């Protein structure tokens, strides 16, 4: 924004901090950078403005909802946390809550509409962040508002409010009634929905669902509104596993699809943030692309292969590894320390697949959000 039109920035309110914690505990870590304060962010401002341009049939209800700061912050979190996963060529949801929600939403509105809403949200985020004048922000809001019909608003309400009923403002019912409780109208998947562990949306429009109870059929889970395939094991039978994402390199392992998809999602986020030299499961390099060797090799291993590696716009190398099985944590911690020894000018991270941070190393003088 130009001087005089810049949004007022400040630390988040206590209620916003509580909301962030509750939301992230349900959906997992943010996939796009979180602003210092959601309440004063460009994204929230654009979302609020967008209600002016929504259809007559939903405008009043949307304005009532979006006038509540907590609900508006929840919609913003939805964009940065849940819808951001749709940036990946084949979105993968490893948090059980988000995976189950994706199946339910696909039953409610269909995968095509769900994907369309996600892309509209992400376009709004990019345009809002790039805006430098109130006019540009308003234009982004107008494009978004005109693209979101009743079904799109229903999706936004579900993602923002499901599991967080305390953020919903009191609004007149009538036209809004189906927006506030839409999942009760979705085809029932029965108890099988509650056992979903992961969901992947592949390019042909199929949902790959894991964690479903043995003996559950795709028809009983998905009805006729979505095409599903289910894995009860690790996908080690040739031809029985899901299609693995390979945008950034060959599959990390076919026996552990969630691990491969976590790497692909991480590299997609970094590419969107302007990182270069995107590497998947390749030998560790330093920022100048020289092989990085461990100065104190363990068991003869003098170099490592980070799951995800890239160079930030400021020239700092960023390496990340994931732990699939907690029983392997000691081995992964040893590998983490070896990577730090090999390159102390790089950022190194170790996560569980659910997004829990185990260890992080940030070089002195390097900023890290």
């Amino acid at each position: 924004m130009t001087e005089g039109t810049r949004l007022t920035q400040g630390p988040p309110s206590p209620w916003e901090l509580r909301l962030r914690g509750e939301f992230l505990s349900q959906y997992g870590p943010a996939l796009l950078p979180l602003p210092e304060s959601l309440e004063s962010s460009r994204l929230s401002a654009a979302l609020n403005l967008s209600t002016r341009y929504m259809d007559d049939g939903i405008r009043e209800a949307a304005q009532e909802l979006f006038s509540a700061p907590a609900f508006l912050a929840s919609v913003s979190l939805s964009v940065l946390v849940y819808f951001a996963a749709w940036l990946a060529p084949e979105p993968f949801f490893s948090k059980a809550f988000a995976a189950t929600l994706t199946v339910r939403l696909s039953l409610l509105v269909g995968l095509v509409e769900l994907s369309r809403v996600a892309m509209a949200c992400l376009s709004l985020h990019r345009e809002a962040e790039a805006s430098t004048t109130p006019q540009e922000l308003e234009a982004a809001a107008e494009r978004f508002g005109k693209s979101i019909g009743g079904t799109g608003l229903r999706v936004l309400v579900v993602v923002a409010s499901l599991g967080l009923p305390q953020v919903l403002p009191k609004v007149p019912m009538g036209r809004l009634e189906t927006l506030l409780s839409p999942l009760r109208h979705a085809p029932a998947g029965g108890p099988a929905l509650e056992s979903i562990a992961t969901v992947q949306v592949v390019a042909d429009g199929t949902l790959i669902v894991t964690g479903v109870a043995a003996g559950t059929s795709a028809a009983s889970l998905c009805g006729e509104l979505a095409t599903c395939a289910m894995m009860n094991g690790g996908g080690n039978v040739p031809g029985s596993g899901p299609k693995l994402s390979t945008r950034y390199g060959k599959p990390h392992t076919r026996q552990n699809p969630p691990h491969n998809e976590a790497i692909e999602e991480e590299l997609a986020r970094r590419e969107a943030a302007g990182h270069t030299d995107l590497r998947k499961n390749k030998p560790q390099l330093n920022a100048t692309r020289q092989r990085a060797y461990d100065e104190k090799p363990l068991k003869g291993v003098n170099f490592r292969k980070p799951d995800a590696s890239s160079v930030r716009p400021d020239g700092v190398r960023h390496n990340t590894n994931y732990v699939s099985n907690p029983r392997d944590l000691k081995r992964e911690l040893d590998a983490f320390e070896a990577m730090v020894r090999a390159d102390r000018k790089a950022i190194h991270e170790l996560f569980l697949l659910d997004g829990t941070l185990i260890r992080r190393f940030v070089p002195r003088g390097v900023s890290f959000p």
Side-chain angles (χ1 to χ4, degrees):
M1 296 287 179
T2 57
E3 194 64 36
T5 62
R6 186 177 294 112
L7 295 172
T8 302
Q9 296 294 321
S13 305
W15 67 261
E16 183 181 313
L17 291 175
R18 292 194 299 272
L19 178 63
R20 288 191 191 209
E22 292 180 35
F23 202 97
L24 296 178
S25 70
Q26 292 274 37
Y27 285 90
L31 304 178
L32 291 171
L34 287 175
E36 183 177 5
S37 170
L38 291 164
E39 194 174 8
S40 58
S41 68
R42 287 188 178 92
L43 177 59
S44 290
L47 284 166
N48 199 15
L49 289 170
S50 72
T51 59
R52 302 177 184 176
Y53 304 100
M54 293 182 182
D55 293 339
D56 292 342
I58 62 171
R59 185 185 304 122
E60 182 181 351
Q63 288 175 337
E64 190 73 26
L65 280 169
F66 282 52
S67 67
F71 184 77
L72 189 59
S74 288
V75 178
S76 299
L77 282 169
S78 300
V79 176
L80 301 171
V81 178
Y82 176 74
F83 291 118
W86 293 81
L87 277 171
E90 296 184 335
F92 181 80
F93 303 91
S94 57
K95 189 81 170 179
F97 180 85
T100 302
L101 175 65
T102 301
V103 173
R104 288 187 178 275
L105 285 173
S106 72
L107 298 177
L108 180 67
V109 303
L111 279 175
V112 173
E113 178 65 16
L114 179 55
S115 176
R116 191 193 67 79
V117 173
M119 292 303 106
C121 289
L122 294 170
S123 293
L124 177 66
H125 172 260
R126 286 193 294 266
E127 292 175 8
E129 288 300 301
S131 65
T132 58
T133 66
Q135 292 77 18
E136 290 177 350
L137 191 68
E138 183 93 28
E142 181 178 358
R143 283 189 288 272
F144 179 77
K146 289 181 177 179
S147 71
I148 295 295
T151 299
L153 182 58
R154 182 183 304 173
V155 171
L156 290 179
V157 170
V158 172
V159 180
S161 64
L162 194 61
L164 300 171
Q166 68 274 17
V167 308
L168 284 173
K170 293 183 179 180
V171 295
M173 298 307 284
R175 287 177 305 188
L176 193 58
E177 184 173 6
T178 57
L179 295 178
L180 296 180
S181 56
L183 290 184
R184 67 187 179 188
H185 302 297
L193 281 176
E194 308 308 321
S195 64
I196 291 173
T198 68
V199 165
Q200 181 183 4
V201 184
V202 297
D204 65 0
T206 300
L207 287 178
I208 301 295
V209 183
T210 68
V212 178
T216 302
S217 69
S220 64
L221 175 66
C222 298
E224 298 177 354
L225 298 184
T227 303
C228 291
M230 287 172 288
M231 291 175 55
N232 294 317
N236 53 355
V237 178
S240 67
K243 180 181 177 182
L244 300 178
S245 300
T246 56
R247 178 177 179 181
Y248 299 99
K250 63 182 182 181
H252 180 270
T253 170
R254 293 191 179 278
Q255 283 68 46
N256 191 349
H259 196 125
N260 180 77
E261 301 310 310
I263 299 170
E264 289 276 330
E265 288 181 7
E266 177 64 23
L267 289 171
R269 288 192 292 269
R270 295 187 188 184
E271 184 176 28
H275 288 218
T276 58
D277 195 26
L278 302 165
R279 297 168 61 82
K280 176 183 177 184
N281 192 35
K282 293 183 178 179
Q284 182 180 354
L285 302 181
N286 58 29
T288 60
R289 292 187 58 81
Q290 302 297 313
R291 182 73 71 88
Y293 292 99
D294 183 6
E295 60 190 32
K296 297 178 181 179
L298 292 175
K299 299 180 180 180
V301 180
N302 61 1
F303 72 90
R304 303 288 173 166
K305 292 183 177 182
D307 286 339
S309 181
S310 63
V311 176
R312 303 195 314 179
D314 63 358
V316 177
R317 172 71 64 175
H318 186 173
N319 299 314
T320 298
N321 272 348
Y322 294 95
V323 183
S324 295
N325 191 331
R327 290 178 296 182
D328 297 329
L329 184 56
K330 175 61 168 61
R331 184 189 68 195
E332 296 294 341
L333 284 170
D334 288 342
F336 175 86
E337 296 299 333
M339 288 167 57
V340 172
R341 289 194 299 269
D343 185 6
R344 295 186 179 277
K345 295 182 179 180
I347 296 169
H348 303 279
E349 295 175 310
L350 181 64
F351 289 93
L352 295 179
L353 279 186
D354 66 2
T356 302
L357 177 66
I358 302 299
R359 193 73 57 84
R360 175 181 287 140
F361 172 87
V362 179
R364 185 183 301 274
V366 172
S367 63
F368 192 88

